[in-house]
């Protein structure tokens, strides 16, 4: 009798549970392995699992993409990006994008980094078919130009994030189109698009008033006029600004950020050699409650005054890079321990600060108990031996980099900058 009831119960599971109830079961399965196992029960459960899938990472041609679109109708995020070190030819091509535009019409996020085979033809298809798209990453797709991405701007007006780093054919014309059509844009990554000028950045500011993150590193035609305009318009919404090697950016930009962008959390100005102490001190006071990450290596006019002001005022500062700022000395850190100063600093890069000694490093260690990484490469007076002779006790778990080329990077630190 018991055996018969058990067999009957098993036979009735699919008859008793509705699709919605099975979906409720699926949503309660947290590990990916359990969700995959759900689809192995039977075809019905596989169909439900497929309909609930929202993310997909694939590497496939048009035929397979059509099958994936039919099987996973609810996909919102699609990643077809390639690794720069292991990209294959031809990889994703315009025919694939044609299938995506027709088969994944509800797509919100599309990643195509390093897809070297796609052209403006494919972008036109996406712009005409993906009206719900909110995030597009075509970084290092080097064949793309304004022509295709302007169709994206006009057709995907819900766009919030656009990443075009390394697309060197892009000009101010695209930014004019984005400003006109994508009024909710919050994030633009355009590092290395060195045809962009102040005119393009100013045009972007005219229409996109909600910018939270802007990366125009190595856009060396952008200077103070464009940055001042974006700072004034974006104001308190701007959280991250990256201007690495934008040599035309100077103190006017920093003063403008201090005046308008009180919530700024990340600022990258490495290589902006005209920036000096007065503007950085103004920024330290204005953004004292928000600034967390600051990179200003190779800002050769920066002195102890800037670093002291930042460390004393910006209590949330987690990472700072003043590498190759050769006017930095021990004086930047003097008095910190005497004033019972305590910093939440986790990363400090002071490499190639040739006047720095063990005395300054000792002050850093005493006041920055949360320190996880200290870079003192090419500081001739700060060596492993000199630190050991001085009896310095580093915070537990803190990595000190004494040696190696300045061109070498550390992945654990790169995530900050």
């Amino acid at each position: 009798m018991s055996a018969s009831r058990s067999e009957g119960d098993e036979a009735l599971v699919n008859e008793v549970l509705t699709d919605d109830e099975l979906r409720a079961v699926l949503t309660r399965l947290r590990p990916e392995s359990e969700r995959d196992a759900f689809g192995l029960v039977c075809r019905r459960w596989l169909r439900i699992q497929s309909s609930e899938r929202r993310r997909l990472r694939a590497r496939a041609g048009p035929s397979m993409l059509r099958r994936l679109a039919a099987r996973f109708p609810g996909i919102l995020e699609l990643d077809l990006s390639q690794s720069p070190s292991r990209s294959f030819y031809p990889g994703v091509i315009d025919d694939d994008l044609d299938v995506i535009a027709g088969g994944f019409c509800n797509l919100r996020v599309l990643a195509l980094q390093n897809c070297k085979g796609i052209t403006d033809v494919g972008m036109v298809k996406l712009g005409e078919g993906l009206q719900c798209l909110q995030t597009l990453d075509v970084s290092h797709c080097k064949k793309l130009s304004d022509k295709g991405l302007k169709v994206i701007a006009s057709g995907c007006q819900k766009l919030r994030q656009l990443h075009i780093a390394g697309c060197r054919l892009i000009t101010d014309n695209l930014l004019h189109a984005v400003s006109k059509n994508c009024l909710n844009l919050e994030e633009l990554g355009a590092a290395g698009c060195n045809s962009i000028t102040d005119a393009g950045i100013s045009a972007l500011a005219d229409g996109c008033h909600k910018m939270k993150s802007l990366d125009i590193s190595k856009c060396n035609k952008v200077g103070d006029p464009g940055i001042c305009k974006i700072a004034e318009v974006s104001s308190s919404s701007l959280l991250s600004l990256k201007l690495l090697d934008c040599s035309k950016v100077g103190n006017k930009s920093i003063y403008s950020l201090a005046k308008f962008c009180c919530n700024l959390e990340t600022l990258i100005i490495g290589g902006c050699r005209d920036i000096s102490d007065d503007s950085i001190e103004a920024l330290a006071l204005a953004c004292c409650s928000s600034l967390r990450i600051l990179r200003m290596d190779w800002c050769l006019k920066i002195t102890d005054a800037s670093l002291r002001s930042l460390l004393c005022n910006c209590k949330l500062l987690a990472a700072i890079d003043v590498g190759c700022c050769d006017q930095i000395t021990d004086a930047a850190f003097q008095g910190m321990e005497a004033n019972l100063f305590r910093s939440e600093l986790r990363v400090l890069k002071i490499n190639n600060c040739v006047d720095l000694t063990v005395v300054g490093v000792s002050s850093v260690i005493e006041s920055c108990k949360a320190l996880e990484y200290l870079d003192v490469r090419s500081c001739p007076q700060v060596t492993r031996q000199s630190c050991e002779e001085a009896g310095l006790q580093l915070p537990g778990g803190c990595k000190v980099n004494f040696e190696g080329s300045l061109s070498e990077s550390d992945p654990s630190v790169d995530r900050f900058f």
Side-chain angles (χ1 to χ4, degrees):
M1 186 76 173
S2 176
S4 175
R5 187 182 302 110
S6 176
E7 291 175 2
D9 289 343
E10 290 178 3
L12 291 173
V13 167
N14 270 338
E15 297 178 15
V16 172
L17 295 180
T18 66
D19 284 358
D20 287 341
E21 289 168 334
L22 285 173
R23 288 191 180 92
V25 171
L26 180 61
T27 59
R28 286 170 171 78
L29 301 179
R30 290 292 175 254
E32 195 66 30
S33 57
E34 291 185 4
R35 296 177 67 87
D36 289 340
F38 180 95
L40 299 176
V41 173
C42 64
R43 290 183 178 179
R44 181 190 178 203
W45 288 34
L46 177 62
R47 173 177 56 78
I48 292 172
Q49 180 206 35
S50 298
S51 68
E52 290 299 300
R53 185 155 186 166
R54 297 293 178 258
R55 298 179 181 179
L56 182 64
R57 180 178 176 84
R59 184 177 293 178
S63 178
M64 181 58 73
L65 283 172
R66 290 188 187 94
R67 293 173 62 185
L68 291 173
R71 179 178 172 183
F72 303 112
I75 289 294
L76 299 178
E77 301 181 22
L78 180 61
D79 186 353
L80 296 175
S81 55
Q82 297 178 225
S83 166
S85 60
R86 297 193 300 170
S87 59
F88 57 95
Y89 185 84
V92 179
I93 58 176
D94 292 333
D95 288 346
D96 298 316
L97 302 188
D98 192 10
V99 173
I100 291 170
F104 297 92
C105 54
N106 294 317
L107 210 59
R108 302 291 192 275
V109 178
L110 178 59
L112 298 167
Q113 302 100 305
N114 297 296
C115 292
K116 301 178 179 63
I118 63 177
T119 72
D120 290 330
V121 174
M123 289 297 105
V124 170
K125 295 293 184 182
L126 294 181
E128 293 172 346
L130 300 182
Q131 297 181 1
C132 296
L133 196 66
Q134 296 178 7
T135 299
L136 176 65
D137 191 339
V138 290
S139 300
H140 306 290
C141 298
K142 297 182 179 181
K143 294 181 181 180
L144 299 184
S145 71
D146 296 335
K147 181 180 178 181
L149 287 169
K150 284 170 68 176
V151 179
I152 292 287
S154 61
C156 308
Q157 297 189 6
K158 296 181 180 180
L159 210 61
R160 293 180 179 273
Q161 299 179 358
L162 177 61
H163 295 274
I164 52 175
C167 297
R168 297 188 176 184
L169 300 179
I170 297 302
T171 73
D172 292 341
N173 290 331
L174 174 62
L175 300 190
H176 280 275
V178 169
S179 175
K180 180 180 178 181
N181 297 288
C182 305
L183 304 185
N184 292 315
L185 191 73
E186 297 175 347
E187 185 171 326
L188 175 64
C193 299
N194 52 17
S195 292
I196 290 176
T197 71
D198 285 321
I201 297 300
S202 296
L204 181 73
D206 286 335
C208 302
H209 300 166
K210 302 177 181 179
M211 293 296 297
K212 294 181 179 179
S213 177
L214 177 64
D215 184 356
I216 47 174
S217 297
K218 301 184 183 298
C219 295
N220 51 26
K221 295 178 182 177
V222 176
D224 290 333
I227 301 306
C228 290
K229 182 69 176 293
I230 203 79
E232 181 177 358
V233 171
S234 298
S235 187
S236 59
S237 68
L238 191 65
L239 304 179
S240 176
L241 180 61
K242 298 184 178 182
L243 304 168
L244 182 66
D245 290 334
C246 292
S247 56
K248 291 186 176 181
V249 170
N251 286 325
K252 286 184 179 180
S253 294
I254 307 304
Y255 280 124
S256 188
L257 291 171
K259 181 178 181 180
F260 297 109
C261 303
C262 58
N263 293 321
L264 191 67
E265 297 177 359
T266 298
L267 179 62
I268 307 297
I269 49 174
C272 301
R273 301 191 181 198
D274 290 333
I275 293 173
S276 58
D277 286 336
D278 289 344
S279 64
I280 294 296
E281 291 180 66
L283 183 76
L285 291 172
C287 300
C288 60
S289 299
S290 61
L291 196 63
R292 297 174 182 270
I293 297 170
L294 177 59
R295 177 178 175 180
M296 49 182 188
D297 53 317
W298 289 104
C299 293
L300 301 182
K301 294 183 179 180
I302 295 300
T303 74
D304 296 330
S306 288
L307 188 51
R308 189 184 302 114
S309 180
L310 288 162
L311 291 172
C312 291
N313 291 294
C314 301
K315 305 301 183 183
L316 298 179
L317 199 62
I320 187 168
D321 182 353
V322 289
C324 301
C325 296
D326 55 11
Q327 297 190 61
I328 298 294
T329 71
D330 294 339
F333 309 104
Q334 285 176 354
M336 292 169 60
E337 66 277 14
N339 296 326
L340 300 179
F341 174 80
R342 289 293 178 266
S343 170
E344 295 302 314
L345 199 67
R346 296 163 59 189
V347 173
L348 176 60
K349 300 187 72 174
I350 45 178
N351 51 279
N352 208 36
C353 294
V354 295
D355 291 330
L356 198 69
T357 73
V358 174
V359 175
V361 173
S362 178
S363 298
V364 170
I365 292 172
E366 183 64 30
S367 302
C368 304
K369 297 298 185 181
L371 202 63
E372 298 174 3
Y373 181 88
L374 177 62
D375 188 350
V376 291
R377 288 175 294 173
S378 298
C379 295
Q381 302 181 71
V382 183
T383 63
R384 191 184 305 274
Q385 181 179 349
S386 63
C387 289
E388 290 175 353
E389 290 174 352
L392 296 187
Q393 297 294 321
L394 295 169
C398 179
K399 176 182 177 181
V400 182
N401 193 347
F402 289 102
E403 302 167 344
S405 169
L406 296 182
S407 63
E408 295 176 2
S409 60
D410 189 316
S412 64
V413 177
D414 291 344
R415 62 190 175 94
F416 286 96
F417 302 109

